[in-house]
Amino acid sequence: MAILLPNQIFNLGPNVGKSFFEDLTGGRDATVTVNNTGAVPVSLVLTRVNAPVITYVIPPQNSLTLAVHRLLVAAILAGTGPSSGSIEIASTDF
C-alpha cells in the first residue's frame, strides 16, 4: 500500500533550498511530482541509498514526475529569482 503525503506548496527566495521529504532509516520507494509555477527554473535534488545525488532542473511553468528507488531526501533549490510551486510525494508503507 502506498501513502500519499500532503501536497506541499513552496515559495522560496533566490538561491534558497528546502527539504520536503526525509527518510534516513534506509530509504523508501517513492514517486515525486514537482510543479514549477514560478518564472524561474527550480532544481529537484534527490538523494538515494548507495547512489549518486541526482539533480533535475525544472523549467518555469513545467512539471516533472519521477519514480525513485530507496529515496532518502527530496529537496527543492530555487534559482536566481524567487520560485513557487508544489511538490507531492507518494511513498511505500511506513
Side-chain angles (χ1 to χ4, degrees):
M1 183 171 129
I3 295 177
L4 180 62
L5 301 175
N7 191 23
Q8 300 177 73
I9 306 297
F10 62 86
N11 290 302
L12 301 174
N15 302 312
V16 172
K18 182 176 179 186
S19 173
F20 288 91
F21 176 84
E22 295 177 5
D23 178 3
L24 304 180
T25 61
R28 301 268 178 219
D29 293 343
T31 301
V32 179
T33 300
V34 176
N35 296 303
N36 180 6
T37 59
V40 296
V42 297
S43 297
L44 170 63
V45 180
L46 302 173
T47 304
R48 300 170 297 146
V49 174
N50 296 327
V53 174
I54 300 174
T55 302
Y56 294 93
V57 177
I58 304 164
Q61 306 300 317
N62 279 285
S63 64
L64 176 68
T65 299
L66 297 168
V68 183
H69 181 65
R70 297 185 71 190
L71 178 66
L72 291 171
V73 177
I76 299 287
L77 295 175
T80 57
S83 58
S84 61
S86 65
I87 182 169
E88 190 166 51
I89 300 170
S91 71
T92 56
D93 289 339
F94 282 94

